[in-house]
Amino acid sequence: DSVSLTGSLLEARGNVGKSGKAFIHLTVGVDDAAAGRRTKFYHTQFIAGKRSRQIMLAKVAKFRQGSRIAFRGTISRLGGSEDDWELKNAVFLAAEGAEAG
């Protein structure tokens, strides 16, 4: 399923693996006030190249925890939970307090 949603950035963190490949993990929460629950979308973006660590650090710095962020992408359920989804082919759109990534 492809979705377009706006939520709150819960976490943005980066890491460099043993191979030297950098990656960014983003967790976005979308609140459903009527149902009284929060759905979480997890996205991992890999960055290759000689400057991958610098690029990763710059991208993570653009995202501020708690900021509103719009995104679209393909989702698939993680485990058996209805509240946890993996977000693939993600496009992050400019939103309050965050730049497009």
Side-chain angles (χ1 to χ4, degrees):
D1 291 348
S2 183
V3 298
S4 293
L5 296 167
T6 299
S8 297
L9 183 65
L10 302 178
E11 182 180 34
R13 62 184 172 85
N15 200 355
V16 179
K18 292 178 183 177
S19 66
K21 193 179 219 183
F23 52 93
I24 298 169
H25 293 293
L26 297 176
T27 304
V28 180
V30 177
D31 291 323
D32 182 348
R37 72 181 213 209
R38 171 178 278 174
T39 303
K40 292 181 183 175
F41 296 88
Y42 302 92
H43 174 67
T44 299
Q45 179 180 16
F46 292 96
I47 303 168
K50 291 182 178 182
R51 298 189 59 238
S52 63
R53 186 176 193 281
Q54 290 89 341
I55 294 168
M56 174 268 294
L57 291 171
K59 283 190 169 215
V60 168
K62 288 181 181 181
F63 292 103
R64 290 189 195 95
Q65 187 171 344
S67 63
R68 302 288 294 161
I69 187 165
F71 62 93
R72 71 172 178 258
T74 305
I75 61 171
S76 59
R77 185 174 290 168
L78 282 175
S81 173
E82 296 232 354
D83 296 332
D84 294 314
W85 296 80
E86 181 178 14
L87 178 62
K88 295 183 178 180
N89 305 317
V91 176
F92 291 93
L93 311 167
E96 176 191 325
E99 297 180 33

